[in-house]
């Protein structure tokens, strides 16, 4: 058996990066744009035989050359990536793979969370990870004053909204207020992935403060189980439409299990007039949820004189220091935060961003 050298593939290493792209392409994979660490196994002539990468707490872009199948190379790459993840404090690991390779990763200690048949499987390295998350949601609910207030109802109507709130605007407030008026108990899920210009701790604070007067809300973080468009792995799916629809279907598979644990019968979603991607996502979500017996209501965006209120528009106002217009588009609590000294690091990050309309 040949001897192989394990080496990090840095973006500056053009030869290795080119080999990585070629190997991934050979296996029907495109290099994911979200990678923060990549490695390769090279033979004695420095030809790439196997590769794998990480992004945050996920493992991505795993591939072995067809010339080196059956040599256990992917096991070596995966073991190294897991050790690397552990070394930087990521002990809960996730990966996405084709349905045909899910069993291979299952044999290496990964457990299935959800799948879209023929497209993608979402897996984690903890056997009870998702079950523990569902228990956490149930505990948060049972301990909330809002849930206790409706516990005496025979069949309480329970709904959910999921939002990034980057940052929390009057548009988000309108969505939560409308949804809360239609149910007895509303679960508000805040996207946990910290890939936004406004960090999770601030986003959650602003959501809570901006809806504090509504008495029937329970707040949760999505954890790693509801994934955003920014980090959904599209590298082994053939086209953009397939990526969007597969992401939506996978997300809904996960949400259905959450809905079952919390007795959620309705989901409320804000209309997306600016993004074709989110528009398709919402359409698929509505079809999938209603097929599963969960009502899905798409609510028109709140508008003002400038048109629909959007978080990206608010980030532009923050970047430009347009405080007069900002005050018209966000709750008082959001405006108060961004006017305070605490917001200085976040404002600096927004001002330095190349593009504030991204996640």
């Amino acid at each position: 058996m040949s001897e192989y050298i394990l080496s990090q593939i840095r973006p500056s290493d053009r030869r290795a990066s080119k080999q990585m792209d070629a190997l991934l392409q050979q296996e029907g994979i495109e290099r994911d744009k979200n990678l923060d660490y990549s490695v390769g196994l090279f033979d004695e002539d420095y030809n790439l035989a196997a590769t794998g990468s990480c992004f945050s707490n996920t493992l991505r872009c795993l591939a072995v050359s067809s010339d080196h199948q059956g040599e256990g190379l992917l096991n070596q790459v995966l073991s190294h990536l897991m050790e690397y993840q552990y070394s930087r404090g990521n002990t809960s690991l996730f990966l996405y793979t084709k349905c045909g390779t899910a069993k291979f990763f299952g044999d290496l200690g990964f457990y299935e969370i959800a799948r879209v048949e023929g497209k993608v499987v979402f897996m984690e390295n903890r056997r009870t990870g998702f079950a523990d998350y569902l228990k956490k949601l149930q505990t948060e609910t049972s301990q909330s004053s809002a849930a206790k207030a409706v516990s005496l109802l025979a069949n309480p109507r329970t709904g959910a909204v999921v939002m990034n709130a980057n940052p929390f605007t009057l548009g988000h407030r309108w969505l939560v207020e409308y949804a809360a008026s239609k149910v007895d108990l509303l679960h508000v899920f805040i996207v946990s992935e910290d890939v936004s210009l406004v960090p999770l701790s601030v986003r959650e604070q602003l959501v809570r403060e901006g809806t504090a007067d509504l008495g029937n809300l329970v707040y949760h973080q999505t954890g790693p189980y509801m994934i955003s468009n920014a980090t959904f792995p599209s590298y082994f799916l053939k086209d953009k439409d397939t990526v969007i629809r597969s992401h939506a279907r996978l997300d809904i598979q996960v949400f259905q299990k959450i809905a079952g644990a919390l007795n959620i019968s309705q989901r409320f979603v804000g209309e997306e007039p600016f993004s074709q991607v989110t528009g398709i996502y919402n359409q698929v979500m509505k079809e999938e949820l209603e097929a599963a017996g969960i009502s899905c209501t798409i609510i028109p965006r709140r508008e003002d004189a400038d048109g629909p209120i959007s978080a990206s528009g608010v980030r532009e106002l923050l970047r430009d220091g347009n405080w007069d217009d900002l005050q018209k588009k966000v709750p008082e609590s959001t405006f108060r935060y961004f006017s305070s000294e605490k917001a200085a690091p976040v404002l600096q990050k927004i001002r330095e961003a190349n593009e504030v309309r991204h996640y």
Side-chain angles (χ1 to χ4, degrees):
M1 185 178 292
S2 301
E3 291 293 325
Y4 297 96
I5 300 169
L6 184 76
S7 177
Q8 183 179 354
I9 300 176
R10 302 178 187 276
S12 58
D13 187 339
R14 293 186 179 180
R15 183 175 186 273
S17 293
K18 190 174 181 180
Q19 286 194 66
M20 179 180 168
D21 287 338
L23 174 54
L24 292 173
Q25 187 174 14
Q26 174 187 310
E27 298 304 312
I29 299 172
E30 290 185 15
R31 187 202 291 240
D32 194 293
K33 63 181 179 180
N34 292 310
L35 300 178
D36 52 32
Y37 180 77
S38 298
V39 296
L41 276 175
F42 296 86
D43 65 19
E44 57 270 22
D45 296 320
Y46 206 67
N47 293 314
L48 184 63
T51 187
S53 300
C54 303
F55 176 69
S56 184
N57 62 345
T58 65
L59 307 179
R60 303 183 169 217
C61 292
L62 297 153
V64 178
S65 168
S66 56
D67 297 332
H68 299 277
Q69 299 286 342
E71 297 181 29
L73 301 190
L74 196 55
N75 301 41
Q76 293 182 49
V77 170
L78 194 63
S79 295
H80 171 79
L81 292 177
M82 292 176 71
E83 288 178 12
Y84 172 77
Q85 290 280 32
Y86 295 153
S87 73
R88 63 180 185 174
N90 292 331
T91 55
S92 297
L93 304 179
F94 300 83
L95 62 81
Y96 310 85
T97 187
K98 299 175 183 179
C99 295
T101 52
K103 185 180 183 305
F104 169 81
F105 290 108
D107 292 340
L108 295 178
F110 281 80
Y111 301 88
E112 182 174 324
I113 300 167
R115 73 165 56 207
V116 178
E117 284 298 340
K119 300 297 181 185
V120 58
V121 181
F122 183 30
M123 308 182 81
E124 66 177 324
N125 69 328
R126 293 183 302 157
R127 185 175 60 82
T128 62
F130 187 53
D132 291 343
Y133 174 68
L134 295 179
K135 289 177 185 175
K136 179 175 180 286
L137 296 179
Q138 291 171 327
T139 299
E140 290 171 345
T141 302
S142 64
Q143 292 177 347
S144 72
S145 56
K148 291 173 182 175
V150 302
S151 62
L152 298 178
L153 298 177
N155 294 296
R157 297 166 300 159
T158 305
V161 297
V162 181
M163 59 178 56
N164 199 21
N166 180 34
F168 189 73
T169 69
L170 286 175
H172 295 111
R173 164 70 195 202
W174 162 244
L175 171 63
V176 175
E177 188 174 349
Y178 178 90
S181 72
K182 299 299 181 183
V183 295
D184 300 304
L185 185 67
L186 182 68
H187 293 272
V188 179
F189 290 89
I190 301 150
V191 174
S192 300
E193 286 177 332
D194 246 336
V195 294
S196 301
L197 289 172
V198 182
L200 170 61
S201 59
V202 174
R203 289 186 286 112
E204 182 170 12
Q205 172 193 328
L206 297 183
V207 170
R208 287 177 177 269
E209 290 180 355
T211 57
D213 59 308
L214 303 174
N216 63 335
L217 308 185
V218 183
Y219 303 94
H220 309 284
Q221 293 183 9
T222 60
Y225 296 105
M226 294 187 200
I227 49 183
S228 76
N229 288 323
T231 55
F232 179 72
S234 58
Y235 47 82
F236 53 76
L237 298 171
K238 294 297 184 184
D239 58 78
K240 188 175 181 180
D241 189 70
T242 300
V243 169
I244 299 166
R245 293 177 184 277
S246 296
H247 175 202
R249 292 192 175 105
L250 188 66
D251 223 12
I252 296 314
Q253 289 293 321
V254 174
F255 181 77
Q256 282 179 225
K257 296 176 182 180
I258 292 171
L262 299 177
N263 298 313
I264 293 169
S265 59
Q266 300 181 59
R267 181 162 173 177
F268 300 87
V269 186
E271 182 184 39
E272 181 46 79
F274 302 112
S275 170
Q276 182 184 13
V277 170
T278 308
I280 295 171
Y281 183 98
N282 286 351
Q283 173 199 337
V284 175
M285 179 193 303
K286 185 174 178 66
E287 293 169 359
E288 295 282 325
L289 284 178
E290 295 190 344
I294 299 171
S295 169
C296 182
T297 303
I298 299 177
I299 301 168
R301 284 284 192 101
R302 177 169 175 174
E303 298 190 13
D304 60 14
D306 301 320
I309 297 173
S310 71
S312 57
V314 165
R315 293 195 297 276
E316 288 183 332
L317 296 175
L318 287 167
R319 179 195 62 194
D320 300 339
N322 189 339
W323 297 100
D324 289 340
D325 285 349
L326 177 72
Q327 196 163 17
K328 301 172 187 175
K329 297 181 186 295
V330 298
E332 189 275 333
S333 51
T334 297
F335 186 80
R336 185 173 65 246
Y337 167 78
F338 281 107
S339 303
S340 72
E341 291 184 4
K342 288 182 182 178
V346 180
L347 286 171
Q348 185 69 18
K349 187 177 179 182
I350 291 171
R351 288 168 185 152
E352 292 176 351
N354 292 326
E355 176 55 77
V356 298
R357 285 194 171 272
H358 290 172
Y359 291 89

